[in-house]
Amino acid sequence: MHKIDMRDEESLLAHNRELAEEINKKLKERGIRSIDVMGAIGSGKTTILEKLSERLKGSYRIGALAGDLTTTIDADRIARHGAKTFQISTGKECHLDAHFISHAVDEVADEIDLLFIENVGNLICPADFPLGADQRMVVISVTEGPYMVKKHPYIFAEADVAVINKRDLAEAMEVSVEDLEADIKEISPDTRVVRMCARAGEGIDELIKALGL
Amino acid sequence: MHEMSVAQGIAQAVIKTAEREKAVKVAKINLEIGELTFLNPEQVIFWLAELLKDSVAEEAEIEHMEVRAKVRCEKCSYEGPLDVHEDPLFHRSLPVFTCPWCKKGSLTILEGRDCIVSSIEILTESDIPSRK
């Protein structure tokens, strides 16, 4: 019997992180700022990107990569607001990874200076796979209930900006926006929290400020 | 649920290494799974065993060890493991992502976010007694 040490072999997760660093370098060289938008299913990621694209189209040339299992619904919605979009069909995969992005980025990278990457709706898997974006943002909404932050701490620890969406429904849902914000701050004191009602456009200015755009 | 893609990476690495080392059989695969990955060890092992069928590692025993998280606090310079939160709300104890010392600073993860093969144990031609 022979024991073969394999510690120097590269792991999948480490390989993803290295690829993410390469993507980030490449985007920076082309003068593109990039934001990875993660969040729960139905929390309002696409609506927020529509509102951001509409508001920022005068100041930035915007591109968006939308990750979804099969449909182009999200990419089409964002495209209506003037952004250059490309759909990444992940098939059965529950998250985007740096490998997907390394192929897709060339589809939109010409003549843009701001790139949004909309991840697959999921608060678990995307945390394991950084994509090489400058900033990571996570979206939850009050309709998902009061424990979304407590149950998924790492994705908030990873996030530079966290959005609590659909705040107008908080009372009906009997969910405290203040408690959700306190949960985020406990896990990650430096994460900037923005309360929004994206459909009505409320909180967009605060979000733009939090993202430094 | 990305256990299958992670298991695919592991299976490829194991088979590649076994071929390079001229293994006739892989007897054991030792895994290390970080506490901060979103990987369920049982699912990783299930997929890995499936993916290794009909390969030189088909009969390998798969063992895993959990690697504790190690973090650094950017505020008070704490370096070490995270506290574990025992809440009856959750069915398993979760590491708390707050600095165990100052409770205030942002944390950088130093260890515990990888899933690797630490080693494999193999048999080569020389290990098998001649039948003559």
Side-chain angles (χ1 to χ4, degrees):
Chain A
M1 189 85 82
H2 310 269
K3 191 166 182 171
I4 311 292
D5 195 306
M6 284 183 60
R7 281 177 187 283
D8 291 338
E9 298 278 334
E10 197 172 51
S11 82
L12 183 77
L13 298 181
H15 179 62
N16 183 81
R17 289 200 295 272
E18 277 170 24
L19 203 52
E21 278 168 27
E22 280 171 33
I23 292 167
N24 189 259
K25 199 171 151 224
K26 196 168 145 186
L27 288 171
K28 280 206 171 85
E29 278 167 7
R30 297 175 82 151
I32 301 170
R33 295 180 62 168
S34 52
I35 298 164
D36 177 7
V37 184
M38 309 176 289
I41 295 174
S43 59
K45 297 182 294 300
T46 311
T47 303
I48 289 170
L49 288 183
E50 285 182 89
K51 299 287 178 187
L52 281 175
S53 302
E54 190 62 40
R55 184 67 65 88
L56 293 171
K57 67 184 178 190
S59 1
Y60 292 93
R61 294 167 302 168
I62 301 169
L65 297 175
D68 229 326
L69 301 193
T70 55
T71 73
T72 61
I73 295 170
D74 291 356
D76 295 344
R77 279 174 60 190
I78 301 165
R80 272 183 230 131
H81 301 273
K84 195 170 170 184
T85 63
F86 182 73
Q87 177 71 36
I88 303 173
S89 295
T90 59
K92 289 174 184 161
E93 211 52 270
C94 50
H95 57 272
L96 290 174
D97 61 31
H99 182 245
F100 277 123
I101 303 303
S102 67
H103 287 290
V105 80
D106 291 331
E107 301 287 338
V108 296
D110 282 336
E111 296 172 5
I112 64 163
D113 40 34
L114 176 61
L115 176 67
F116 293 113
I117 306 170
E118 183 178 346
N119 222 310
V120 181
N122 181 338
L123 286 179
I124 302 170
C125 307
D128 267 348
F129 294 89
L131 304 178
D134 295 328
Q135 296 189 80
R136 302 193 92 182
M137 157 177 153
V138 60
V139 182
I140 54 164
S141 73
V142 298
T143 56
E144 292 128 34
Y147 305 118
M148 293 307 271
V149 180
K150 280 190 189 295
K151 283 183 185 174
H152 307 95
Y154 308 136
I155 204 155
F156 292 91
E158 286 276 319
D160 301 289
V161 175
V163 171
I164 303 171
N165 197 19
K166 307 183 194 177
R167 67 173 184 198
D168 53 316
L169 300 177
E171 202 178 329
M173 292 303 300
E174 297 180 13
V175 170
S176 159
V177 173
E178 289 72 26
D179 287 354
L180 285 173
E181 178 159 351
D183 287 345
I184 297 170
K185 285 291 180 191
E186 191 185 333
I187 294 160
S188 184
D190 293 341
T191 298
R192 297 179 287 283
V193 180
V194 182
R195 303 175 184 190
M196 294 183 75
C197 170
R199 200 136 59 137
E202 287 173 30
I204 285 289
D205 291 333
E206 290 82 353
L207 178 59
I208 289 171
K209 200 175 153 202
L211 291 168
L213 295 171
Chain B
M1 225 304 275
H2 46 275
E3 279 80 1
M4 194 178 122
S5 33
V6 170
Q8 268 168 339
I10 294 170
Q12 281 166 9
V14 166
I15 291 169
K16 201 175 101 186
T17 306
E19 279 172 2
R20 189 191 66 212
E21 301 293 331
K22 299 189 172 40
V24 291
K25 184 181 169 170
V26 178
K28 196 168 172 200
I29 299 169
N30 295 304
L31 302 178
E32 288 182 5
I33 301 179
E35 184 183 26
L36 296 179
T37 64
F38 283 98
L39 294 170
N40 176 347
E42 280 176 35
Q43 282 173 298
V44 173
I45 291 167
F46 168 79
W47 281 114
L48 185 55
E50 281 297 311
L51 292 161
L52 290 173
K53 276 187 179 158
D54 298 324
S55 78
V56 67
E58 183 172 37
E59 290 170 25
E61 177 195 346
I62 303 168
E63 197 158 283
H64 83 279
M65 197 183 92
E66 187 179 75
V67 176
R68 290 290 312 273
K70 188 176 170 195
V71 297
R72 183 179 59 234
C73 175
E74 300 304 334
K75 199 180 178 83
C76 73
S77 312
Y78 167 84
E79 259 193 42
L82 292 166
D83 282 341
V84 175
H85 185 57
E86 300 284 357
D87 189 328
L89 187 66
F90 304 110
H91 294 290
R92 54 172 289 196
S93 47
L94 288 174
V96 188
F97 217 83
T98 310
C99 174
W101 280 1
C102 74
K103 313 281 181 199
K104 289 199 182 78
S106 272
L107 301 174
T108 301
I109 299 169
L110 303 175
E111 282 172 23
R113 59 187 314 178
D114 271 312
C115 172
I116 65 159
V117 186
S118 54
S119 62
I120 57 174
E121 291 165 39
I122 61 166
L123 295 171
T124 57
E125 285 290 349
S126 60
D127 299 311
I128 296 173
S130 166
R131 290 193 186 119
K132 280 179 191 172

